[in-house]
């Protein structure tokens, strides 16, 4: 819990001291990845116009910053992680073991009806799958509930600055990878959030 409070405080301080144009841009990118974008599109456009026509008027800048900060606070209170707006999810075809030399690592991703589970490591995808199966079984037993896995994916990944690059492996079928790509395209924030701990 302390980590959440610390992160929230860091986010609030970041909002207060970030350049207003940067805040507007990050907020626009984040909202464009959500279903709420239509509700805020006109307001975002108005803020952009106000800043462009103000000639660096400090009163206008201060007002836009305050309104933007208020919106970002409201979004955080709704459970959104605005830091995900700075990240990109990139899906890039298939790779083989040679990509280890490019900094890629193996990851197995399981998708349930309400969560994304993953395990990365140096072992092959089948071994990682067995480990992840056991972890999920243990979690289900500990919480006395059933965890239904809807989809399994065997991928390569690499963090590259703000980009998370995911590629199919030899263990992943083309059909499964196409389905995974479509899910990522439809809701990149869900996957960026679920894979946030993937380093």
């Amino acid at each position: 819990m302390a980590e959440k409070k610390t992160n929230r405080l860091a986010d609030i301080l970041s909002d207060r001291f970030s350049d207003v144009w940067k805040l507007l841009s990050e907020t626009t990118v984040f909202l464009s990845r959500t279903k709420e974008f239509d509700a805020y599109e006109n307001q975002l456009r108005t803020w952009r116009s106000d800043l462009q026509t103000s000639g660096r008027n400090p009163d206008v800048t201060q007002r836009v910053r305050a309104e933007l900060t208020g919106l970002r606070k409201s979004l955080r209170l709704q459970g959104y992680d605005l830091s995900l707006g700075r990240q990109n999810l990139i899906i890039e075809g298939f790779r083989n073991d040679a990509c280890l030399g490019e900094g890629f690592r193996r990851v197995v991703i399981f998708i349930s009806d309400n969560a994304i589970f993953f395990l990365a490591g140096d072992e092959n995808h089948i071994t990682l799958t067995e480990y992840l199966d056991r972890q999920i079984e243990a979690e289900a037993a500990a919480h006395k509930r059933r965890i239904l896995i809807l989809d399994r994916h065997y991928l390569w990944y690499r963090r590259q600055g703000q980009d998370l690059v995911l590629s199919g492996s030899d263990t992943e079928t083309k059909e499964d990878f196409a389905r995974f790509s479509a899910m990522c395209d439809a809701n990149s924030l869900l996957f960026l959030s679920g894979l946030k701990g993937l380093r």
Side-chain angles (χ1 to χ4, degrees):
M1 191 62 155
E3 184 183 345
K4 270 193 169 182
K5 285 182 182 172
T6 305
N7 286 342
R8 234 179 243 147
L9 179 60
D11 290 338
I12 291 166
L13 288 173
S14 175
D15 285 358
R16 183 163 293 165
F17 296 109
S18 289
D19 176 73
V20 69
W21 280 103
K22 182 181 175 196
L23 271 183
L24 179 57
S25 177
E26 285 179 2
T27 306
T28 303
V29 169
F30 177 83
L31 285 169
S32 72
R33 296 178 179 177
T34 70
K35 57 186 179 223
E36 282 85 10
F37 181 69
D38 291 343
Y40 295 105
E41 186 175 12
N42 286 336
Q43 182 61 62
L44 294 165
R45 194 174 289 130
T46 299
W47 284 330
R48 185 170 303 280
S49 174
D50 289 350
L51 289 172
Q52 286 172 338
T53 59
S54 73
R56 295 189 181 203
N57 181 325
D59 293 335
V60 173
T61 302
Q62 188 175 5
R63 177 185 53 80
V64 170
R65 176 190 300 285
E67 291 173 2
L68 258 173
T69 301
L71 170 60
R72 292 170 66 86
K73 181 179 179 182
S74 170
L75 290 168
R76 285 190 190 98
L77 289 173
Q78 294 174 51
Y80 287 108
D81 180 354
L82 274 70
S83 70
L84 298 176
R86 290 179 233 133
Q87 297 181 27
N88 299 303
L89 182 61
I90 299 171
I91 309 298
E92 282 187 352
F94 282 81
R95 298 183 190 279
N96 58 32
D97 289 1
C99 72
L100 286 165
E102 301 168 20
F104 281 86
R105 295 186 67 209
R106 291 178 184 88
V107 64
V108 180
I109 298 173
F110 290 4
I111 302 167
S112 78
D113 55 345
N114 63 0
I116 295 174
F117 300 92
F118 67 89
L119 183 64
D122 297 323
E123 293 87 354
N124 65 51
H125 284 99
I126 302 306
T127 303
L128 290 173
T129 299
E130 292 167 358
Y131 291 155
L132 188 53
D133 273 330
R134 286 198 290 271
Q135 286 179 9
I136 292 171
E137 286 171 16
E139 183 175 328
H143 293 94
K144 296 182 181 171
R145 66 183 174 98
R146 186 167 176 258
I147 298 175
L148 178 63
I149 301 300
L150 305 173
D151 232 348
R152 296 168 182 249
H153 297 280
Y154 313 94
L155 308 170
W156 293 98
Y157 84 95
R158 177 175 67 182
R159 285 275 182 191
Q160 203 171 356
Q162 295 293 340
D163 297 339
L164 172 59
V165 181
L166 296 171
S167 297
S169 73
D170 292 337
T171 312
E172 179 87 353
T173 69
K174 286 183 181 177
E175 294 79 14
D176 288 347
F177 189 65
R179 188 172 62 253
F180 179 75
S181 297
M183 287 187 293
C184 290
D185 285 344
N187 201 341
S188 63
L189 284 178
L190 174 72
F191 284 92
L192 285 169
S193 177
L195 300 173
K196 195 170 181 178
L198 187 58
R199 296 284 167 220

